[in-house]
Amino acid sequence: MSAAVIESLDHEGRGIAHVDGKAVFIEGALPGERVEYTVLRERPRYAQAETARVLKASAQRVEPRCAHFGTCGGCSMQHLDPLAQAAAKQRILEDALWHIGKVEPQVIYPAIHGPAWGYRYRARLTVRVVPSKGGVLVGFHQKRSSHIADMQSCPVLPPAISALVPELHRLIARLSIADRVPQIEIAVSDTATAFVFRHLLPFSEGDRRALAAFADAHGIQAWAQPGGPDTAAPLHPQGGPGLAYTLPEFDVRMDFRPTDFTQVNVHINRLLIRRAIQLLDPQPGERIADLFCGLGNFSLPIARRGATMVGVEGSEALVERALANAAANGLAERCEFHAANLFEATEDSLAALGPLDKLLIDPPREGAIAVVKAINSLQRPPRIVYVSCNPATLARDAAVLVHEKGYVLRGAGIANMFPQTSHVESIALFELGEQG
């Protein structure tokens, strides 16, 4: 067993040390600590390890709240104070921008904070029947494994939902097709909570009665999903309220289906929208594009400020939802939405959107490389706000915007969308430089 002093954290929340010229990535270790570690995997230029014993603890180390910490792979940073987590994520963002993109923001925006626990309004729990481990397992994947952590609670879920995890074990165990229900998707909204049960064989009448009784007992909606996301349908009750979240600051209500993509953390989502609009500064009469717009999460609040919005999204179902949400909020005249594959964006497809005063980009983890490469003299909005869930692809795309397209990175900062995890959500502002 070896010992080392931790220098920093990597993008997965592991402590980084250098021993005999080799980088060692140590799970469970924090900057400034001296730890003993056990090597899990050795490579010529680096090693992966886990903490065996903390010899000198950081002042920012805290006691993990979750009983499954260290087994469940969901929350790798519970041992670090939440404010320190945000600071570490800010450093990860800055390091990615510099080392990958060779760009540096002129301003570092203050981190966007929200509740450290009970924030996760969406979750996808895996279900397995493992007789050797006592029967039904419900939870997230174990750390470094395809096995399932046998969860009895989850403190990043809202408390009322966390309390239902043991009930889910018992419910699944009673079903006739317990071994053919691989997943439960949970969606909590302002109006209702849905549990979507993915099933590979039809439910029996007894199964349906058990699911209905569970829904009634706990005040949730039970949905059944026999195939892809579009096959999900209410099982019980049939006439319950639809799911929706509100954005009170912008007088917007967003209706959605439980299998639609929506932000996991509603508290941070509201603050992130506020920050995006502050940076974008939409004005009445401006024409602004929202790329990867989803069901209109950013488009509708921006339209509420008087701008005309052009939303583009790859999913036709989400485009339909965005159009319906625009109409329901009285914003249909200011919004248009189109389905298109933005991963195949070209100069022509971007120009086809018409003249744009500003641009907002909110891509998935893969980033928006085709979009930023397609920006040219015919379609080059003077201001771009880029919302990212992956610092590496943001940095890659920032390099194109700054070094090839004439933009300046005015500022960047993180939003702690997923406290206790190493996930880094961020927002950046690009503007055309004087020579652009």
Side-chain angles (χ1 to χ4, degrees):
M1 192 174 297
S2 303
V5 174
I6 307 304
E7 302 158 15
S8 59
L9 291 179
D10 76 348
H11 67 283
E12 295 181 12
R14 299 174 299 184
I16 303 174
H18 287 84
V19 180
D20 298 329
K22 177 186 289 190
V24 184
F25 300 94
I26 307 173
E27 293 178 6
L30 299 176
E33 292 188 332
R34 180 173 174 79
V35 302
E36 288 183 342
Y37 62 90
T38 302
V39 174
L40 302 172
R41 180 176 298 176
E42 189 87 40
R43 290 290 185 266
R45 297 180 60 186
Y46 69 93
Q48 296 176 351
E50 63 181 358
T51 300
R53 187 160 65 105
V54 178
L55 303 175
K56 178 187 174 185
S58 166
Q60 297 173 329
R61 178 176 284 275
V62 296
E63 188 67 26
R65 180 180 296 193
C66 180
H68 306 293
F69 178 73
T71 301
C72 175
C75 296
S76 62
M77 298 181 76
Q78 285 190 43
H79 57 309
L80 181 60
D81 174 82
L83 291 178
Q85 290 180 29
K89 292 177 183 184
Q90 184 69 52
R91 286 192 293 273
I92 289 168
L93 172 63
E94 294 176 53
D95 286 348
L97 288 170
W98 179 246
H99 292 296
I100 297 172
K102 296 296 184 286
V103 295
E104 198 169 1
Q106 292 180 342
V107 176
I108 301 299
Y109 301 132
I112 298 173
H113 292 282
W117 302 97
Y119 66 82
R120 189 169 185 131
Y121 279 41
R122 297 195 68 89
R124 183 174 295 165
L125 301 178
T126 300
V127 180
R128 297 260 176 88
V129 177
V130 185
S132 63
K133 293 190 176 181
V136 174
L137 306 182
V138 178
F140 298 117
H141 284 98
Q142 291 182 11
K143 188 168 58 176
R144 303 188 307 274
S145 173
S146 60
H147 295 153
I148 304 305
D150 187 16
M151 288 168 37
Q152 299 300 316
S153 64
C154 179
V156 296
L157 294 176
I161 304 303
S162 176
L164 293 183
V165 174
E167 298 294 329
L168 287 172
H169 287 75
R170 290 187 277 273
L171 170 65
I172 300 297
R174 290 198 300 270
L175 301 180
S176 67
I177 57 167
D179 60 344
R180 307 302 286 168
V181 181
Q183 175 184 297
I184 304 167
E185 188 148 1
I186 298 170
V188 180
S189 82
D190 293 356
T191 53
T193 296
F195 282 47
V196 183
F197 295 87
R198 178 81 173 91
H199 58 105
L200 306 180
L201 291 175
F203 287 125
S204 69
E205 283 305 311
D207 294 339
R208 289 174 175 271
R209 286 194 296 271
L211 290 164
F214 178 86
D216 286 340
H218 302 295
I220 61 101
Q221 298 178 5
W223 287 52
Q225 183 188 333
D230 291 343
T231 67
L235 190 152
H236 183 85
Q238 290 291 333
L243 273 63
Y245 64 90
T246 57
L247 303 170
E249 185 174 350
F250 305 99
D251 189 26
V252 165
R253 168 184 161 131
M254 307 292 293
D255 293 310
F256 66 96
R257 283 168 50 87
T259 52
D260 286 345
F261 172 81
T262 56
Q263 291 289 6
V264 162
N265 190 325
V266 297
H267 315 283
I268 294 296
N269 184 51
R270 289 173 176 175
L271 296 174
L272 189 59
I273 291 170
R274 177 192 294 173
R275 174 73 56 85
I277 289 180
Q278 287 172 342
L279 298 177
L280 200 62
D281 190 26
Q283 299 297 316
E286 288 184 332
R287 199 162 185 273
I288 300 173
D290 177 7
L291 304 187
F292 306 94
C293 66
L295 45 73
N297 186 57
F298 288 99
S299 299
L300 270 59
I302 296 171
R304 187 67 82 199
R305 290 294 177 89
T308 297
M309 294 304 300
V310 183
V312 183
E313 164 60 43
S315 164
E316 292 189 8
L318 286 180
V319 167
E320 291 177 7
R321 224 88 72 223
L323 288 166
N325 278 321
N329 284 277
L331 294 168
E333 292 186 358
R334 288 194 211 141
C335 294
E336 59 180 88
F337 294 98
H338 308 280
N341 183 355
L342 289 165
F343 297 111
E344 297 177 358
T346 64
E347 293 183 3
D348 288 343
S349 69
L350 210 58
L353 297 178
L356 299 175
D357 296 293
K358 292 166 184 173
L359 178 61
L360 185 140
I361 310 175
D362 181 20
R365 290 188 61 79
E366 295 89 339
I369 189 65
V371 169
V372 298
K373 285 184 174 180
I375 291 172
N376 64 10
S377 57
L378 297 177
Q379 186 64 283
R380 195 163 59 150
R383 180 175 298 181
I384 298 173
V385 171
Y386 191 132
V387 179
S388 167
C389 58
N390 184 347
T393 52
L394 169 61
R396 177 202 64 195
D397 297 349
V400 174
L401 290 170
V402 172
H403 301 309
E404 300 178 26
K405 303 297 181 177
Y407 287 86
V408 175
L409 178 54
R410 296 297 187 197
I414 69 109
N416 202 7
M417 183 74 76
F418 292 83
Q420 319 307 331
T421 80
S422 58
H423 178 100
V424 181
E425 190 91 6
S426 62
I427 187 167
L429 171 64
F430 299 86
E431 289 183 324
L432 282 177
E434 284 72 14
Q435 304 304 316

